[in-house]
Amino acid sequence: MDRLIAESNWRVTVVDDFNDFYSPEIKRANVQTHLAGERYRLVEIDIRDRSALQRLFRERPFDVIVHLAARAGVRPSLADPLLYNETNITGTLNLLDLARESGTRQFVFGSSSSVYGINAKVPFSEDDPIAQPISPYAATKAAGELLCHTYSHLYGIRCVCLRFFTVYGARQRPDLAIHKFARLISEGRAIPVFGDGTTRRDYTYVDDIISGVRAAMNRQAPAMDRRIAHRGVARIDRAARSGPQTSRPDRALADAARRCASNVRRCLQSAPPSQLRSANRNRRRHPPLSGLVRACAPA
């Protein structure tokens, strides 16, 4: 949002229901600075509510839909899979179908690296099958990608699906690892570790995610085109070993396989992230971490 407002040529409508997945007060504080802006509009709607969305779409056309709304998290999805289905699948279908009705031809979908599921081949590739998810959350994101493919094929909507690898940085969700680890270490408390503590995954600084989303908004391609791209690279092995740990041998829930993110240069004309960045914006140097530059074939 900060990036679009700074560019001064966008009028932005934000749809959010401010649910209680984490504190709504934190979410409202994140958007507070934009509320008085002439080119920013906040509409409180649950994306499951098709009628409310339909009224919004009838008010004005949209050039691009950036669909980042979702119920997130692997473990919470095990506790309430129906809610995840309604929000992540029905909500996505509502937006795609309203894009069709209103003539919006650019659709960016925030998917997840979780779609790879039980994938023994590493590094991961966008062309890998995603038929073995290990959580309801992952299954809903894979379903969202398939819906994007369907609407791209049937109605000529240009869809870009971005598989995010855990995002960290400013305004990070308080339940995610970097935020949680830093808070627990500063408090001298144990860090919960799922699995045997040897898992590895990719983390991506939020500015790199924003650059990828922004590039996807501008992507020009023929109609009936759908692309999938990884967005992430900064690998952390056995993160935060400096602090005390509490191990939980829970392999099925340790959604942190060796995830290597690919480079999105060819798909989005956007440079890939290449190094771990400190969250306080002081650029501590780390060795560059490898990534692949590969985009999927057109649907």
Side-chain angles (χ1 to χ4, degrees):
M1 184 56 55
D2 294 349
R3 177 81 61 88
L4 291 177
I5 295 298
E7 290 179 9
S8 74
N9 58 345
W10 289 91
R11 300 185 67 86
V12 181
T13 298
V14 174
V15 173
D16 202 319
D17 69 345
F18 294 97
N19 62 58
D20 60 357
F21 181 76
Y22 64 94
S23 170
E25 286 72 26
I26 295 176
K27 301 176 185 180
R28 292 186 185 280
N30 287 339
V31 302
Q32 187 65 37
T33 58
H34 296 303
L35 292 179
E38 294 182 355
R39 292 179 292 109
Y40 176 90
R41 182 188 183 196
L42 175 64
V43 183
E44 296 193 32
I45 295 176
D46 187 326
I47 61 170
R48 295 174 293 174
D49 187 345
R50 179 183 170 84
S51 296
L53 286 173
Q54 199 165 37
R55 288 192 294 272
L56 175 63
F57 274 73
R58 286 172 178 167
E59 291 178 11
R60 65 179 66 181
F62 295 102
D63 298 308
V64 183
I65 295 173
V66 179
H67 176 27
L68 305 178
R71 282 282 175 169
V74 170
R75 293 178 65 84
S77 75
L78 300 175
D80 200 347
L82 293 180
L83 176 60
Y84 277 67
N85 175 79
E86 292 167 1
T87 303
N88 296 357
I89 298 179
T90 303
T92 298
L93 182 58
N94 284 339
L95 290 170
L96 282 166
D97 204 48
L98 289 169
R100 174 190 63 82
E101 284 187 3
S102 64
T104 303
R105 285 292 174 263
Q106 192 88 352
F107 194 98
V108 181
F109 176 59
S111 187
S112 168
S113 58
S114 294
V115 300
Y116 292 109
I118 306 173
N119 188 349
K121 183 184 77 62
V122 292
F124 294 165
S125 164
E126 294 93 336
D127 294 330
D128 290 344
I130 56 171
Q132 299 184 82
I134 60 173
S135 69
Y137 170 68
T140 63
K141 283 299 184 179
E145 290 189 12
L146 290 174
L147 287 170
C148 286
H149 167 78
T150 302
Y151 271 71
S152 176
H153 174 75
L154 291 176
Y155 306 116
I157 299 174
R158 184 185 297 112
C159 292
V160 180
C161 301
L162 300 175
R163 293 174 181 168
F164 299 141
F165 287 70
T166 311
V167 185
Y168 73 99
R171 301 170 184 165
Q172 183 181 29
R173 280 181 13 222
D175 60 299
L176 291 180
I178 301 298
H179 186 289
K180 186 175 182 179
F181 288 178
R183 185 181 73 251
L184 292 174
I185 289 171
S186 68
E187 296 171 355
R189 297 165 59 191
I191 296 172
V193 178
F194 302 104
D196 60 6
T198 62
T199 52
R200 305 165 64 193
R201 74 179 299 135
D202 288 336
Y203 291 77
T204 319
Y205 190 64
V206 63
D207 282 4
D208 294 319
I209 291 291
I210 292 169
S211 295
V213 171
R214 187 66 189 83
M217 292 172 63
N218 281 350
R219 183 172 188 276
Q220 298 300 311
M224 296 188 297
D225 178 72
R226 178 201 55 143
R227 294 278 174 156
I228 295 175
H230 295 309
R231 192 65 189 170
V233 71
R235 177 168 295 169
I236 299 177
D237 299 328
R238 303 183 181 185
R241 280 292 187 189
S242 59
Q245 298 179 21
T246 299
S247 180
R248 299 183 188 177
D250 194 350
R251 181 178 178 185
L253 300 183
D255 183 49
R258 289 174 290 168
R259 292 180 169 164
C260 182
S262 84
N263 179 334
V264 295
R265 193 188 311 275
R266 195 167 68 191
C267 180
L268 301 179
Q269 301 300 309
S270 172
S274 61
Q275 64 186 23
L276 183 65
R277 304 188 189 188
S278 64
N280 66 3
R281 302 303 297 270
N282 293 323
R283 297 294 190 256
R284 296 186 300 193
R285 303 301 299 178
H286 296 260
L289 296 165
S290 62
L292 302 175
V293 180
R294 216 143 74 74
C296 73

